[in-house]
Amino acid sequence: MRKELDDLLCQRFPEIFRDRYGDRTKTCMARGFECGDGWYGLISQLAAALSETDCDIHVQQIKEKFGKLRTYVSGPDVARQICQGFEQLSANVCEECSDSPALLSALGGCYRT
């Protein structure tokens, strides 16, 4: 994801992404958002949904895995359920340009949406 989008997410949701600039040996979030710009909107909606809970939640990693948005969080089960819902949504949104509906397909052994 481009730096300007990365920065916007971290500015808007500092508590959710508090590990973004952490120690690379202690958090995968220090590597940034490991996905295309097309999922910026989904990630923003995901962070808003996580923020609306009254729980201490923070994201440990966000990346593309098997063509879907994969999010690892610390917090209660409700946080993981929210993330799973957005993972399913990502299968219909282009990771590069955010067009929807998009198709999850296998290209040369790699899954892409």
Side-chain angles (χ1 to χ4, degrees):
M1 181 175 291
R2 287 179 307 173
K3 181 181 180 345
E4 38 297 358
L5 297 178
D6 181 311
D7 289 344
L8 281 172
L9 288 168
C10 293
Q11 289 169 9
R12 190 165 169 216
F13 304 102
E15 286 302 310
I16 297 294
F17 300 120
R18 61 180 169 246
D19 290 342
R20 173 60 187 93
Y21 302 105
D23 184 342
R24 291 175 78 91
T25 63
K26 295 181 181 171
T27 178
C28 293
M29 197 63 224
R31 294 192 300 241
F33 298 89
E34 301 174 277
C35 62
D37 293 348
W39 284 345
Y40 168 81
L42 278 178
I43 295 170
S44 182
Q45 292 172 22
L46 167 63
L50 292 173
S51 295
E52 289 174 3
T53 67
D54 289 329
C55 305
D56 181 27
I57 297 170
H58 71 278
V59 173
Q60 298 171 323
Q61 185 177 21
I62 289 187
K63 65 181 183 176
E64 175 277 327
K65 186 171 183 178
F66 299 121
K68 296 180 182 177
L69 179 67
R70 184 65 60 94
T71 307
Y72 299 94
V73 295
S74 70
D77 286 339
V78 68
R80 282 179 277 291
Q81 292 168 352
I82 291 169
C83 292
Q84 288 171 353
F86 278 89
E87 179 178 339
Q88 295 308 311
L89 287 173
S90 72
N92 296 306
V93 176
C94 177
E95 181 183 352
E96 298 305 319
C97 70
S98 74
D99 277 354
S100 182
L103 296 174
L104 175 63
S105 54
L107 303 171
C110 295
Y111 289 94
R112 297 290 300 195
T113 301

